[in-house]
C-alpha cells in the first residue's frame, strides 16, 4: 500500500487530518488563505522537527531543494518562502496547534494505555523546564533583568509515557502557580517535587478527590495519630505515620490527616520524606510512585536533545508556542507509529531512523526490518570476534 510513497508521506497518514480541519474551521485559520494552508504549515513544521533543522533558513533551504517533491510530501503546490512560513507562525492562532497537540496526545495515550504498571489507575508527574531566550529578541518573555525565558509546565503520564497537559508561561512565573491550571481527575495520582509544596493547593487536590505524593519541605509541626518506626524493614521504609499538622498556619491550610513516609535510598545513601493524602496504600508503593516522578525529567531531557524547543524559528510568542506544540505533536506521532507498526523500538531509535529516511520510498516497516537485520549481523560479528579465555 505504501510502495512508492515517501516515508514522510507515510507518516502523514497517521495524522488525524479530519480532526485538524475541524480545529482550523473553528478558529477560521484558513480564512482568506489561497495557497499555504494551516495543514501545509503543520506538515512543514513537523518535517523540521523530524529532520532536525536548526533554523528556519535551514528548513526552507531543504524544502526548496526538494521542491519537485513538495506536493507529494503535503507541503502544497506553491513555492514556500522563509517570509511566508515566518508570517504564518507569527500570525496564525497558536491554539490551532495546541488543540491538535492535545488531539495527538489523546490518540497516543489511548494506544499506550495497555502498558504494564505496578498499580492500577492514572498516574501523573508534574514538573517544569526552563528554556533560556535572548532578551533582545524575545522581549515579551520576561525572566530577569538581562535575560528572557519561558517555562514549559508539563503533566506527564508515567504509565503511557505521554505528556497529558502542557502549560507555557514566562520563566518568572513560580512553579506553584501552575498547579492551578492542572485539569485534575478524581482518583488520579499526582506526583510533585518539593518545589510544589503548597498546603492550600494540596488540600484543594484532596477536596477534588484526587491523590498526591510530594516530598516534605521544611520542618513541619505535627502530631502522630498512628504509625511507628520501622528500622528493620526490608523495604527501606524508616517511618510510616499518619499525622495531623499542628502549626498555627499549616493546620488551617491542611486540616485533614496526612500520611508521612520516610524512605531510605541505598542508591543515594540518604532518607527522603514523602507526604500523601492516601492513608491505605502501602508505604513501599508511595516511595515507588515518587521514584517514577523522574520520568518527566527524562522526557524533558529527551525532547530537548532530539526535537527542537531550545532554538526557535520565530521570535514572537505565537511562533514559539506553535513550535512547541508541533514538537509535542511530533513526539506523539512517533509514539503512535511505534505502537501501530509494532516496531518494538525505543522512541529515540524510531525517530533516528525516520529522520534519516524522510525522502526514502521504502515502506516504514521495511526500514525497521532492515535495521533489525543489521543489528543481528552486528551481534554475530561481535560474537565471532570475541575470545573467551
Amino acid at each position: 500500500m505504501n510502495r512508492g510513497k515517501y516515508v514522510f508521506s507515510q507518516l502523514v497518514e497517521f495524522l488525524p487530518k479530519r480532526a485538524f480541519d475541524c480545529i482550523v474551521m473553528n478558529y477560521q485559520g484558513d480564512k482568506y488563505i489561497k495557497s499555504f494552508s494551516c495543514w501545509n504549515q503543520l506538515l512543514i513544521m513537523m518535517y523540521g522537527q523530524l529532520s532536525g533543522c536548526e533554523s528556519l533558513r535551514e528548513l526552507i533551504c531543504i524544502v526548496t531543494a526538494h521542491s519537485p517533491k513538495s506536493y507529494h510530501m503535503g507541503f502544497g503546490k506553491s513555492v514556500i518562502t522563509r517570509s511566508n512560513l515566518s508570517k504564518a507562525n507569527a500570525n496564525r492562532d497558536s491554539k490551532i496547534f495546541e488543540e491538535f497537540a492535545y488531539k495527538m496526545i489523546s490518540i497516543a495515550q489511548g494506544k499506550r494505555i495497555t502498558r504494564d504498571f505496578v498499580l492500577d489507575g492514572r498516574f501523573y508527574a508534574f514538573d517544569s523546564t526552563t528554556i533560556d531566550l535572548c532578551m533582545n529578541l524575545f522581549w515579551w518573555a520576561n525572566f530577569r533583568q538581562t535575560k528572557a525565558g519561558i517555562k514549559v509546565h508539563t503533566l506527564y503520564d508515567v504509565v503511557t509515557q505521554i505528556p497529558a497537559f502542557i502549560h507555557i508561561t514566562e520563566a518568572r512565573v513560580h512553579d506553584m502557580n501552575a498547579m492551578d491550571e492542572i485539569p485534575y481527575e478524581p482518583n488520579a495520582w499526582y506526583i510533585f517535587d518539593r518545589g510544589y509544596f503548597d498546603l492550600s493547593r494540596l488540600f484543594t487536590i484532596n477536596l477534588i478527590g484526587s491523590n498526591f505524593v510530594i516530598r516534605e519541605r521544611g520542618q513541619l509541626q505535627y502530631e502522630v495519630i498512628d504509625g511507628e518506626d520501622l528500622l528493620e524493614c526490608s523495604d527501606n521504609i524508616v517511618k510510616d505515620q499518619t499525622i495531623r499538622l499542628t502549626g498555627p498556619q499549616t493546620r488551617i491550610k491542611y486540616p485533614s490527616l496526612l500520611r508521612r513516609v520516610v524512605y531510605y535510598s541505598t542508591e543515594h545513601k540518604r532518607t527522603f520524606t514523602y507526604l500523601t493524602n492516601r492513608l491505605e496504600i502501602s508505604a513501599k508503593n508511595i516511595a515507588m510512585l515518587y521514584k517514577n516522578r523522574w520520568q518527566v525529567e527524562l522526557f524533558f531531557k529527551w525532547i530537548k536533545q532530539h526535537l527542537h524547543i531550545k532554538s526557535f524559528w520565530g521570535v514572537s510568542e505565537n511562533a514559539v508556542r506553535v513550535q512547541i506544540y508541533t514538537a509535542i505533536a511530533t513526539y506523539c506521532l512517533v509514539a503512535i507509529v511505534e505502537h501501530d507498526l509494532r516496531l518494538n523500538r525505543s522512541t529515540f531509535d524510531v525517530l533516528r531512523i525516520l529522520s534519516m529516511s524522510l525522502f526514502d520510498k521504502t515502506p516504514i516497516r521495511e526500514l525497521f526490518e532492515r535495521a533489525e537485520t543489521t543489528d543481528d549481523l552486528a551481534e554475530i560479528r561481535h560474537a565471532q570476534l570475541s575470545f573467551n579465555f
Side-chain angles (χ1 to χ4, degrees):
M1 181 178 66
N2 289 321
R3 187 69 61 181
K5 289 186 178 181
Y6 297 111
V7 167
F8 185 78
S9 300
Q10 297 174 48
L11 293 175
V12 170
E13 294 179 354
F14 289 89
L15 297 176
K17 186 176 186 303
R18 183 172 296 180
F20 183 80
D21 290 339
C22 291
I23 296 171
V24 172
M25 189 177 298
N26 290 338
Y27 288 95
Q28 297 184 341
D30 283 340
K31 191 175 183 180
Y32 307 122
I33 302 298
K34 295 182 179 179
S35 57
F36 188 58
S37 66
C38 290
W39 178 250
N40 302 143
Q41 179 188 0
L42 172 71
L43 295 189
I44 288 182
M45 294 295 289
M46 294 186 76
Y47 173 82
Q49 293 288 344
L50 289 169
S51 60
C53 294
E54 295 290 342
S55 65
L56 191 67
R57 186 184 299 274
E58 180 184 353
L59 173 58
I60 295 301
C61 283
I62 294 174
V63 173
T64 304
H66 294 279
S67 56
K69 307 172 186 176
S70 292
Y71 177 76
H72 300 286
M73 298 281 281
F75 299 156
K77 297 180 180 180
S78 61
V79 177
I80 302 165
T81 63
R82 190 155 55 98
S83 61
N84 284 345
L85 183 55
S86 61
K87 287 178 182 177
N89 288 341
N91 298 325
R92 292 179 185 173
D93 198 336
S94 63
K95 290 189 177 296
I96 295 173
F97 302 91
E98 179 181 356
E99 286 196 20
F100 183 70
Y102 282 120
K103 178 64 178 179
M104 293 293 290
I105 286 171
S106 176
I107 295 173
Q109 283 183 318
K111 292 179 180 295
R112 294 164 67 104
I113 196 65
T114 56
R115 295 173 67 92
D116 293 332
F117 196 66
V118 291
L119 296 174
D120 294 329
R122 304 301 295 268
F123 301 89
Y124 301 101
F126 189 67
D127 208 342
S128 69
T129 184
T130 301
I131 301 173
D132 294 329
L133 301 172
C134 175
M135 187 68 176
N136 292 332
L137 296 177
F138 301 88
W139 52 269
W140 49 269
N142 292 326
F143 185 19
R144 297 192 179 102
Q145 189 172 2
T146 59
K147 196 175 185 180
I150 59 172
K151 273 186 181 178
V152 181
H153 307 269
T154 303
L155 187 67
Y156 188 75
D157 189 330
V158 299
V159 179
T160 63
Q161 298 181 358
I162 298 292
F165 172 72
I166 306 291
H167 182 55
I168 303 171
T169 65
E170 296 176 1
R172 64 180 178 178
V173 175
H174 197 280
D175 287 345
M176 284 191 294
N177 294 332
M179 295 174 69
D180 300 332
E181 305 297 329
I182 298 176
Y184 295 104
E185 304 172 19
N187 300 318
W189 285 83
Y190 297 88
I191 310 165
F192 302 99
D193 193 13
R194 59 182 177 180
Y196 295 91
F197 194 85
D198 185 299
L199 290 171
S200 299
R201 289 182 168 94
L202 293 176
F203 188 62
T204 300
I205 296 174
N206 184 60
L207 293 177
I208 292 172
S210 303
N211 312 304
F212 64 82
V213 176
I214 190 169
R215 273 186 67 189
E216 182 182 278
R217 188 179 70 179
Q219 298 293 326
L220 291 177
Q221 298 178 25
Y222 61 88
E223 61 176 341
V224 178
I225 305 299
D226 189 19
E228 57 183 352
D229 295 352
L230 304 170
L231 299 178
E232 297 182 358
C233 181
S234 60
D235 295 329
N236 294 336
I237 303 299
V238 179
K239 293 182 180 180
D240 184 6
Q241 303 168 324
T242 301
I243 65 170
R244 187 189 305 277
L245 300 178
T246 58
Q249 294 297 323
T250 57
R251 65 184 179 185
I252 297 174
K253 293 180 179 178
Y254 200 100
S256 298
L257 297 179
L258 282 169
R259 180 88 168 278
R260 184 174 184 268
V261 174
V262 180
Y263 171 78
Y264 178 76
S265 172
T266 54
E267 180 182 355
H268 299 92
K269 300 187 184 303
R270 55 171 294 191
T271 59
F272 294 90
T273 303
Y274 309 125
L275 296 177
T276 180
N277 60 334
R278 282 289 292 270
L279 306 181
E280 70 279 4
I281 190 173
S282 70
K284 178 183 177 181
N285 283 336
I286 291 173
M288 180 276 301
L289 283 177
Y290 188 84
K291 191 173 183 180
N292 275 275
R293 192 200 68 83
W294 190 248
Q295 289 191 32
V296 69
E297 302 284 357
L298 297 178
F299 168 73
F300 289 144
K301 182 179 179 181
W302 191 96
I303 200 170
K304 282 184 174 181
Q305 287 180 345
H306 306 302
L307 295 177
H308 289 275
I309 62 168
K310 291 177 68 178
S311 58
F312 292 97
W313 305 334
V315 297
S316 68
E317 181 179 1
N318 195 79
V320 169
R321 288 179 176 272
V322 167
Q323 186 169 335
I324 291 175
Y325 287 124
T326 52
I328 298 298
T330 304
Y331 176 85
C332 293
L333 173 63
V334 174
I336 291 169
V337 170
E338 186 274 331
H339 174 274
D340 286 0
L341 298 183
R342 299 179 181 178
L343 300 178
N344 295 322
R345 291 268 182 163
S346 67
T347 308
F348 169 66
D349 283 343
V350 175
L351 178 63
R352 180 177 58 179
I353 294 173
L354 290 177
S355 64
M356 301 300 294
S357 312
L358 295 175
F359 285 109
D360 199 286
K361 288 190 175 182
T362 306
I364 294 176
R365 189 183 294 276
E366 285 188 20
L367 284 175
F368 289 90
E369 288 174 355
R370 292 177 185 175
E372 289 175 2
T373 303
T374 304
D375 291 344
D376 292 340
L377 290 174
E379 290 179 4
I380 293 172
R381 292 193 188 101
H382 178 73
Q384 290 174 342
L385 293 173
S386 299
F387 298 94
N388 296 320
F389 295 99

